[in-house]
Amino acid sequence: MSQVEACYQAAKERYAAIGVDTDQALEKLQKVKISVHCWQGDDVKGFMNPRGDLTGGIMATGHYPGAARTAEELRADLEQAFSLIPGKHKVNLHAIYRDTSEKVDLNELEPKHFATWVDWAKKQGLGLDFNPTFFSHPMFKDNYTLASPDKSVRDFWVEHGKRTRKIAAYFGKELGQTSINNFWVPDGMKDNPIDRLAPRQRLMDALDEIFAEKLDEAYTQESVESKLFGIGAEAYTVGSHEFYMGYGITRNKLICLDAGHFHPTEVISNKLSSLALFSKGIMLHVSRPVRWDSDHVVLMDDELMEIGRELVRNDLLKVTHIGLDFFDATINRVAAWVVGTRNTQKALLRAFLEPTEELKKLELANDFTARMVITEELKDFPYGDIWNHFCEINGVPVGLEWFKKAQAYEEGVLLKR
Ligand code: RNT
Ligand code: ZN
């Protein structure tokens, strides 16, 4: 018996004593797919704009060496990351990651410009999600795209949005799993607007135009992502939380919550149960805001654990698509992916290892003492031994061993770029 296995058996007994079946918890975890965002691999540059100017109120800071410069490099880096992450997952692409030698603009994209991604995803057993790119482009005019007062600007972006739907449907059909197409629109104003309503009306109408055609939901579904503010859009964001709550619920779209898109002390974990009651489903951008929407790599912090618990306790995994959204250019990008993805999985595992029914009963009986004592003791339970076993049975390195592989890849590949 390996040491990991021996520790697993001991931990399994401890959990069994509080009524938790660890094998069942791992079966549940095995089924959860995380949508790993491609854009951590090149600091959101994409392959359309050689200078990589990032606009739209988001920002990647840092010059760590080794960023992917081509689709082949990005795929190789993703493969490296997935070799260190247990389970089978999805990759989340943005339109600017089109892989073609043709000079096609965002309003000209077709499925064929993503064929190499689909072939690769098939070989790797991965799903693909998608995002229209409403930023880093000359048609992002005066901080506006779909909400622009200029019809020619709106038309360009409406066409882009429509085309991304066809591409996402192609992903879904080819890969046999629904491709979530997430709409985030950065439009906003630096300083206080006079008219907050008209841009929202225009955004609503433009989105309705994009979504007018009915597509097979087995292939693709759309989500809409709100935001409080961006750099250069500090005073007003057209696509606010209220805007997309209304839009998503009335238009039957998934609602995307990004952990960094709210006031600094406002958390998305507390929103999930309400969304579950009223929305068609949820898309998550698991991220970590540090004082603002800074998109730091996801750590095992209180909010991540609370998100995991809310999803598991309320049985929301069946209506939730979990995506990641962070981009740190000051560290090894493969390591960033691995830490963020493994942490998200670990947070879910910790939630699966909770005697939830028992705790719900105690709460109903007003036994708040027992509720507190048990949840606090649970924090010391050996979930790490369960996690290590999960890594071992999935054939990925346990503990710090994965980092040695990531370092070797950096030495042999990334630093040679
Ligand atoms: C920006 C949004 C959005 C982007 C990606 C690149 O604040 O979070 O999801 O991060 O589309
Ligand atoms: Zn996001």
Side-chain angles (χ1 to χ4, degrees):
M1 199 191 284
S2 71
Q3 202 200 349
V4 168
E5 182 59 23
C7 291
Y8 177 68
Q9 291 306 332
K12 186 178 163 153
E13 279 178 34
R14 285 205 49 204
Y15 280 103
I18 54 163
V20 172
D21 182 330
T22 55
D23 290 327
Q24 247 176 37
L26 291 183
E27 273 168 39
K28 289 181 191 157
L29 185 61
Q30 195 76 58
K31 291 195 192 121
V32 181
K33 281 183 199 275
I34 309 289
S35 186
V36 178
H37 57 313
C38 74
W39 53 91
Q40 166 65 80
D42 75 333
D43 317 328
V44 212
K45 286 194 179 70
F47 310 129
M48 287 188 59
N49 164 2
R51 288 174 51 209
D53 300 334
L54 184 56
T55 63
I58 50 176
M59 196 176 198
T61 52
H63 298 95
Y64 198 81
R69 296 160 301 180
T70 62
E72 292 84 68
E73 288 183 354
L74 189 54
R75 285 192 284 265
D77 295 354
L78 282 161
E79 273 177 45
Q80 178 63 34
F82 281 121
S83 74
L84 308 174
I85 295 166
K88 278 288 167 207
H89 301 282
K90 291 176 113 180
V91 168
N92 201 0
L93 289 177
H94 239 283
I96 45 172
Y97 291 86
R98 59 144 172 69
D99 185 17
T100 173
S101 49
E102 266 182 67
K103 275 225 153 315
V104 283
D105 208 345
L106 292 175
N107 61 340
E108 300 163 333
L109 289 175
E110 291 176 51
K112 67 177 183 199
H113 303 124
F114 292 86
T116 48
W117 282 107
V118 167
D119 291 345
W120 173 77
K122 278 184 187 163
K123 278 195 205 103
Q124 303 292 320
L126 296 163
L128 288 178
D129 289 325
F130 203 41
N131 302 257
T133 308
F134 293 104
F135 53 84
S136 301
H137 189 281
M139 284 300 266
F140 179 70
K141 287 229 168 102
D142 305 318
N143 249 6
Y144 275 133
T145 62
L146 290 177
S148 172
D150 179 340
K151 184 164 186 310
S152 67
V153 173
R154 289 201 306 278
D155 287 349
F156 174 87
W157 292 107
V158 165
E159 185 59 31
H160 174 54
K162 286 182 178 170
R163 282 173 181 261
T164 63
R165 297 184 70 212
K166 295 284 164 65
I167 296 162
Y170 156 73
F171 289 168
K173 187 170 186 187
E174 289 292 318
L175 300 170
Q177 44 184 309
T178 315
S179 176
I180 308 302
N181 192 15
N182 180 60
F183 282 67
W184 169 65
V185 178
D187 298 21
M189 284 206 180
K190 184 177 179 68
D191 221 331
N192 300 329
I194 302 299
D195 189 350
R196 286 188 159 85
L197 180 63
R200 290 191 167 132
Q201 175 80 52
R202 290 193 294 265
L203 177 58
M204 181 180 81
D205 293 345
L207 289 169
D208 283 348
E209 209 180 322
I210 291 172
F211 298 138
E213 186 180 347
K214 221 179 148 29
L215 300 180
D216 190 337
E217 296 222 322
Y219 298 149
T220 186
Q221 291 181 30
E222 286 93 20
S223 54
V224 286
E225 180 180 7
S226 66
K227 189 164 174 172
L228 180 67
F229 79 99
I231 303 170
E234 288 86 355
Y236 170 67
T237 292
V238 183
S240 60
H241 184 51
E242 295 72 18
F243 178 90
Y244 281 123
M245 283 292 283
Y247 193 87
I249 288 166
T250 55
R251 269 61 169 186
N252 205 31
K253 301 292 174 199
L254 304 168
I255 291 176
C256 175
L257 296 179
D258 182 310
H261 287 194
F262 296 87
H263 288 281
T265 59
E266 190 177 354
V267 284
I268 65 167
S269 51
N270 189 30
K271 300 181 189 295
L272 298 172
S273 46
S274 301
L275 271 183
L277 292 176
F278 300 108
S279 80
K280 171 194 188 165
I282 302 163
M283 171 79 205
L284 287 183
H285 273 187
V286 182
S287 191
R288 180 167 55 103
V290 177
R291 311 196 198 287
W292 64 292
D293 179 39
S294 59
D295 293 291
H296 280 66
V297 177
V298 169
L299 302 182
M300 181 62 72
D301 60 13
D302 286 347
E303 171 60 358
L304 183 68
M305 287 189 279
E306 197 62 15
I307 290 171
R309 288 191 285 254
E310 285 296 305
L311 292 175
V312 169
R313 287 175 180 166
N314 303 316
D315 198 18
L316 296 184
L317 284 163
K318 57 181 192 295
V319 292
T320 306
H321 305 267
I322 306 176
L324 307 176
D325 186 10
F326 48 79
F327 29 101
D328 186 339
T330 67
I331 55 176
N332 177 314
R333 296 169 185 80
V334 170
W337 271 321
V338 177
V339 169
T341 312
R342 285 174 65 129
N343 274 341
T344 304
Q345 291 178 289
K346 279 188 215 173
L348 289 168
L349 174 62
R350 293 179 79 157
F352 285 133
L353 292 170
E354 178 190 85
T356 306
E357 289 317 309
E358 170 70 15
L359 289 167
K360 281 184 183 169
K361 269 187 214 145
L362 292 170
E363 184 165 272
L364 268 182
N366 289 340
D367 192 345
F368 304 135
T369 311
R371 180 183 68 180
M372 181 179 74
V373 169
I374 295 172
T375 49
E376 284 306 291
E377 282 301 320
L378 265 174
K379 290 178 180 168
D380 303 330
F381 269 57
Y383 84 93
D385 291 333
I386 315 288
W387 169 255
N388 289 344
H389 172 72
F390 186 66
C391 289
E392 198 167 76
I393 58 179
N394 275 279
V396 304
V398 170
L400 277 172
E401 288 305 307
W402 74 257
F403 188 42
K404 291 186 188 148
K405 306 254 184 201
Q407 284 175 311
Y409 184 73
E410 174 167 85
E411 197 66 29
V413 179
L414 299 178
L415 293 180
K416 301 212 163 100
R417 287 183 184 158

